Amino acid sequence: TRVEYLNYDVVADHQWEFDDPALFERASDADLDPDDYGMFLAEPGETLLEAAEERGFAWPFACRGGACANCAVAVVEGELDSTVDNVLTDDLVDRGFRLSCIGRPVSETLQVVYNVKHLPGLDDLRL
Ligand code: FES
């Protein structure tokens, strides 16, 4: 899976909108630090968090077991398989939020905003 990632801090700093269809284009044009925006390949079977760490990124996490939501990401495009997610509410899942510590990329490409743990609705789910 080709993963294109963007740090939520950058989205907030630029006052970009989450549901802006050009969000990732803006990011790619903005000459951002590779920690904040870029691409990597995830191997089959890796969780998204493992894949990011494997490639040298330090994304937020705590429990690594699907119980806290510190590792939450917003999926903008593509699919993360996370069937054992017990912590995100249906509403958050409907809005595209997933847990990177248990979510395995299953689509060919994936666009995610990571570091969304402070968004309203997510910050009170953390342990
Ligand atoms: Fe706790 Fe992923 S690190 S749910």
Side-chain angles (χ1 to χ4, degrees), residues 83-104:
T83 44
V84 293
D85 172 4
N86 293 323
V87 64
L88 296 180
T89 60
D90 290 349
D91 176 52
L92 290 168
V93 171
D94 283 351
R95 286 160 56 202
F97 292 104
R98 297 288 184 276
L99 302 176
S100 66
C101 70
I102 56 172
R104 296 172 202 278

Side-chain angles (χ1 to χ4, degrees), residues 49 60-72 87 99-102:
L49 181 63
F61 69 91
C63 72
R64 305 188 83 96
C68 72
N70 275 287
C71 67
V87 64
L99 302 176
S100 66
C101 70
I102 56 172

